[in-house]
Structure formats: structure tokens, C-alpha cells
Amino acid sequence: MVKDWLANAYGGVSRREFLAQVGVTGIGLAGFHIAATPVAGKVITTSLDGIAVTEGTVPSGDFLIPIYEARPVTAGKYPVVLVIPEVFGMHEHIKDVTRRFAAYSREVKAAVAWYGQIRPVITKGVRMVGPLNVAARIKAPILGLYGGEDLGIPVADVRAMEAALKAAGKTAEFIIYPGAPHAFFADYRPSYRADAAKDAWSRCIAWFKGNLEE
């Protein structure tokens, strides 16, 4: 029997309960509400001091994708760091992570995967390949940060991805945090693990710093 990985991220809320909420309020608001409520007092908020932010949308076919831009207010040439939202969309946690990178503001040429799927469901016309299928085509150094108790991403898959990248001659390092569930970095969810999140963030910044673009 396949375990319910949604409960892994939502601190015990079952898939049925989650979908019931989705039917009322929509996946973004329902998911964020269910996940955020139990640990609202722990949510991290990054100051806007020295940071300019802009919100808007960009078209993708018939759909308008919400975007959130954060950048240093001081004039200069800065790199672009793309923060890809989770399933709940452009909510406050994703915006805050964007502000954290804006506050860092260094030149970078690398990538960090925060518990991203490795063997996603392949659906014709939607998703035809997964990370393992394109490992040899990845150029940037990759740091992977995963939870050892992630019910949707087995440790074996994480190791397989790391091995595939290294076999293709790529620079890669994958860290697995024992006892950490999916979404251990999401400080608005009960899945948040402060120690793992702190260590992972330090590794993320060090990874970017160590792969600065000249």
C-alpha cells in the first residue's frame, strides 16, 4: 500500500481531509491554510530593509502566472535567482524565501533542489520526463536537500539521482536529513524542522557562494 505523502507534509492531515478543503476554497488557499495554521507563530519574516519588491503576472497561454520580484535597492549588476513555488502557489512563504535571496544578492551560477520530485508521474501532454531522464543534460552544479522520512521521495531515488549526475560528470551533492519529512524547510507547516532547515539554508548559501560566476 502506498503511504499518503500528503500527511507527511501536512502534519497528519489526511489526503481526504485535504481534498475536502480543496473543494471549498481551492488548492492554493486550502493547502496553505491547512499547513500553516498549527505553526503560525514560527513563521519567519524577512525584513524589507534594503530590498525592493514588485508583484505582477506574466502570461502563459491563456493563464496569468503570478510573479513576485525582490531585489536590492542599491543600483548594481545582480544575478537572477528563480524561486519556483510549491503546489500552493505564490503565497507568503515563497515570497519570503525570495526576499532572503535578494538580501544575499551575490553573483551565482548553480542550482539547489529543495526536496523536488525525482520520479514524478509521467502524463502525456503534461510531463513527459523527470529529473532522472535529463540528468546528463544538466549543466549547473546541483545541491539536493531531502528529508529521510519524505513519504513521496524515497531515499533510494535521491541516491539514484545523485549517482546519475556524477556518472555524467556533473558536480552534485545530495544531503539527506534523517527524521525530516517532506517540506522540512517550510516554516509555516507542521513539517518544519528548525535544525534541518537551518543547516540546509547554510549549505544552500555556501553552494551558491562556492559556485560564483566570475
Side-chain angles (χ1 to χ4, degrees), residues 125-179:
V126 178
R127 177 184 284 158
M128 302 301 292
V129 298
L132 274 173
N133 304 111
V134 298
R137 290 159 46 190
I138 295 175
K139 297 181 180 180
I142 300 291
L143 172 65
L145 303 167
Y146 289 83
E149 298 302 318
D150 191 322
L151 299 183
I153 308 174
V155 171
D157 287 357
V158 178
R159 293 306 185 204
M161 184 64 190
E162 182 179 31
L165 287 166
K166 291 183 176 179
K170 310 302 180 180
T171 299
E173 181 181 357
F174 280 59
I175 307 298
I176 296 175
Y177 293 94

Side-chain angles (χ1 to χ4, degrees), residues 21-43:
Q21 287 284 350
V22 170
V24 176
T25 62
I27 188 168
L29 292 178
F32 183 78
H33 172 73
I34 291 173
T37 302
V39 291
K42 298 180 181 178
V43 174

Side-chain angles (χ1 to χ4, degrees), residues 4 8 10 14 17 23 28 31 44 46 86 89 105 119 121 139 147 150 182 188:
D4 187 357
N8 190 225
Y10 307 150
S14 71
E17 291 172 311
I44 297 171
T46 301
E86 57 188 354
S105 66
R119 295 182 189 272
V121 176
K139 297 181 180 180
D150 191 322
H182 188 73
Y188 69 96

Side-chain angles (χ1 to χ4, degrees), residues 176-202:
I176 296 175
Y177 293 94
H182 188 73
F184 64 83
F185 184 70
D187 51 63
Y188 69 96
R189 299 197 206 179
S191 57
Y192 179 61
R193 298 294 184 270
D195 290 344
K198 182 179 179 180
D199 182 80
W201 180 254
S202 295

